[in-house]
């Protein structure tokens, strides 16, 4: 597993990490502690040393699993968590007190003295524009409660706002073959500022695995069901903002771009890693086999310049016009 540096003088982390939303069992089939440990074990055994979670995932369940795992593991693992989407905070209770309370609770669940990376969790643009919340983050960093801070954002606008804040370590963004707008302005600006890029939803909620068809059904509590059209939160967080049936058709078209012997999943993950501004991708995994497949993308050869150009043209011609929601 190759490693990359997250920001200036930052964290050296695996270029494939593990997204841990599914461990909280907020959607899909519940994952018990034994299965969670198997997934986390498979991750570290494949060279993954970066876990991404949030306090809101399962109301702390994901953080608790990770904290217990850290106690039992001899590996050096960096953990990023998030603040800002719990019911007592979102959308208008962003205070120093709620931030500090959240950090203390995350520290207890993760069973650590210092959080490696604390990220603002898709908070309102008006809050990002203010300096107050970043001042509070700097104070927590100075006190040793957090080692670094960053922001998970929903749009280019939000990302550019955050990039003007001193000491920002990272941005977490939605970036994949179906969502390429970031290439033009946000990624170069982040590189210029020395800010690391964490990519969530690299497979567009599974569309880019190529395993779905138009009749695929998802459980009632799966965000790919209840947020298919943005009913619960930003539509871009599900299927990259594409209507499901459109995404399935486009995924099937993309299969013809795959080099011989490469699956659509591998193509999609490799495409992201071939952008030098990206530090790590954090696909989720509900099984050990998913972890292995995701980790393997680090060892794949780079895509050709012509293929990268062809995929850019595919996005411009066929995908961009269908994307909905803040972007």
């Amino acid at each position: 597993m190759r490693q990359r540096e997250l920001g200036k003088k930052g964290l050296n982390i695996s270029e494939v990490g593990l997204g841990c939303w599914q461990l909280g069992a907020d959607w899909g089939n519940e994952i018990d502690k034994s299965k969670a440990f198997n997934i986390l074990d498979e991750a570290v055994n494949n060279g993954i040393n970066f876990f991404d979670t949030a306090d809101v995932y399962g109301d702390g369940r994901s953080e608790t699993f990770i904290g217990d795992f850290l106690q039992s593991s001899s590996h050096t693992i960096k953990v990023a968590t998030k603040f800002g989407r719990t019911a007592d905070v979102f959308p208008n209770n962003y205070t120093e007190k709620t931030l500090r309370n959240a950090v203390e609770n995350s520290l207890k669940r993760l069973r650590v003295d210092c959080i490696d990376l604390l990220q603002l969790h898709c908070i309102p643009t008006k809050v990002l524009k203010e300096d107050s919340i970043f001042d509070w983050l700097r104070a927590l960093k100075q006190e040793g409660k957090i080692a670094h801070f960053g922001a998970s954002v929903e749009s280019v606008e939000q990302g550019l706002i955050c990039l003007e804040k001193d000491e920002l370590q990272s941005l977490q963004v939605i970036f994949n073959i179906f969502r390429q707008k970031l290439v033009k302005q946000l990624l170069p600006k982040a590189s210029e500022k020395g800010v690391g890029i964490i990519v969530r939803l690299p497979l567009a909620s599974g569309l880019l695995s190529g395993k779905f068809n138009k009749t695929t059904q998802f459980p009632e509590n799966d965000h790919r069901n209840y947020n298919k059209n943005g009913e619960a939160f930003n539509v871009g967080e599900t299927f990259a903002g594409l209507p499901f049936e459109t995404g399935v058709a486009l995924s099937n078209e993309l299969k013809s771009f795959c080099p011989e012997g490469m699956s659509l999943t591998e193509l999609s993950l490799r495409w992201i890693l071939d952008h030098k501004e990206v530090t790590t991708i954090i696909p989720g995994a509900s099984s050990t086999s998913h972890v292995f497949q995701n980790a393997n993308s680090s060892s794949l050869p780079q895509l050709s310049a012509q293929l990268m150009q062809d995929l850019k043209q595919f996005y411009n011609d066929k995908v961009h016009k269908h994307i909905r929601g803040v972007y």
Side-chain angles (χ1 to χ4, degrees):
M1 172 69 67
R2 298 184 179 92
Q3 295 196 356
R4 302 185 184 187
E5 189 173 33
L6 184 70
K8 290 182 177 176
K9 299 179 180 178
L11 310 171
N12 287 317
I13 59 175
S14 52
E15 64 181 15
V16 179
L18 179 67
C20 297
W21 183 11
Q22 74 285 356
L23 300 187
D26 287 319
W27 56 278
N29 296 320
E30 182 172 310
I31 294 176
D32 63 20
K33 184 174 181 177
S34 176
K35 185 173 182 180
F37 270 41
N38 287 340
I39 290 169
L40 296 170
D41 255 327
E42 183 71 12
V44 296
N45 289 339
N46 280 277
I48 292 173
N49 72 348
F50 182 70
F51 298 162
D52 177 271
T53 186
D55 57 359
V56 76
Y57 295 167
D59 193 24
R61 179 181 171 91
S62 177
E63 285 184 330
T64 298
F65 280 161
I66 292 171
D68 291 347
F69 182 79
L70 294 177
Q71 295 297 307
S72 67
S73 177
S74 60
H75 294 83
T76 300
I77 301 161
K78 300 298 183 181
V79 178
T81 192
K82 309 182 194 75
F83 155 83
R85 296 291 292 199
T86 52
D88 62 320
V89 174
F90 183 82
N92 54 17
N93 192 26
Y94 295 93
T95 67
E96 185 169 14
K97 181 179 180 180
T98 58
L99 172 60
R100 286 184 172 273
N101 285 343
V103 167
E104 291 299 332
N105 289 332
S106 289
L107 286 168
K108 290 175 184 176
R109 287 190 290 263
L110 292 170
R111 301 171 70 177
V112 295
D113 296 321
C114 177
I115 295 170
D116 296 312
L117 176 67
L118 181 69
Q119 303 164 98
L120 300 177
H121 196 177
C122 299
I123 70 175
T125 302
K126 66 178 182 179
V127 181
L128 291 175
K129 287 181 176 178
E130 300 167 0
D131 288 329
S132 299
I133 198 164
F134 291 95
D135 288 338
W136 305 332
L137 289 168
R138 293 184 195 100
L140 286 166
K141 182 178 175 182
Q142 190 168 14
E143 294 165 20
K145 298 287 187 179
I146 62 176
H148 305 282
F149 63 83
S152 180
V153 297
E154 295 178 334
S155 68
V156 169
E157 177 195 8
Q158 289 184 339
L160 293 175
I161 290 168
C162 292
L163 286 174
E164 297 306 316
K165 307 299 183 180
D166 291 340
E167 298 184 53
L168 187 81
Q169 195 72 26
S170 62
L171 281 179
Q172 186 175 136
V173 297
I174 304 172
F175 181 54
N176 54 55
I177 292 175
F178 284 158
R179 207 168 171 91
Q180 299 187 29
K181 179 181 175 182
L182 284 63
V183 171
K184 184 175 292 186
Q185 186 178 13
L186 187 61
L187 295 189
K189 188 69 172 181
S191 180
E192 175 189 324
K193 292 282 189 176
V195 172
I197 294 291
I198 301 168
V199 174
R200 69 182 186 276
L201 297 168
L203 297 176
S205 306
L207 275 179
L208 289 168
S209 71
K211 297 178 181 178
F212 301 155
N213 59 54
K214 292 182 179 181
T215 63
T216 300
Q217 299 291 314
F218 300 100
E220 184 177 350
N221 69 337
D222 192 313
H223 73 101
R224 292 171 294 185
N225 178 7
Y226 67 77
N227 194 58
K228 185 181 290 188
N229 296 304
E231 297 91 337
F233 41 81
N234 179 13
V235 68
E237 300 286 344
T238 303
F239 303 130
L242 292 172
F244 178 67
E245 293 78 6
T246 302
V248 169
L250 290 169
S251 296
N252 287 332
E253 285 192 57
L254 272 175
K255 292 176 182 178
S256 66
F257 289 85
C258 294
E260 185 176 356
M262 183 177 284
S263 69
L264 181 57
T265 294
E266 292 171 330
L267 171 72
S268 300
L269 297 179
R270 189 65 248 175
W271 180 87
I272 300 170
L273 290 175
D274 283 352
H275 289 82
K276 65 181 185 303
E277 301 91 347
V278 170
T279 304
T280 188
I281 55 177
I282 50 169
S286 57
S287 69
T288 54
S289 61
H290 290 159
V291 176
F292 177 80
Q293 292 165 11
N294 294 337
N296 187 58
S297 62
S298 176
S299 63
L300 296 173
Q302 288 191 347
L303 305 181
S304 70
Q306 182 60 57
L307 180 51
M308 294 294 282
Q309 180 59 38
D310 291 344
L311 291 170
K312 177 181 178 181
Q313 196 64 46
F314 177 83
Y315 166 80
N316 290 335
D317 292 346
K318 298 192 174 186
V319 180
H320 180 261
K321 60 187 175 184
H322 296 293
I323 295 176
R324 303 165 297 172
V326 176
Y327 185 15

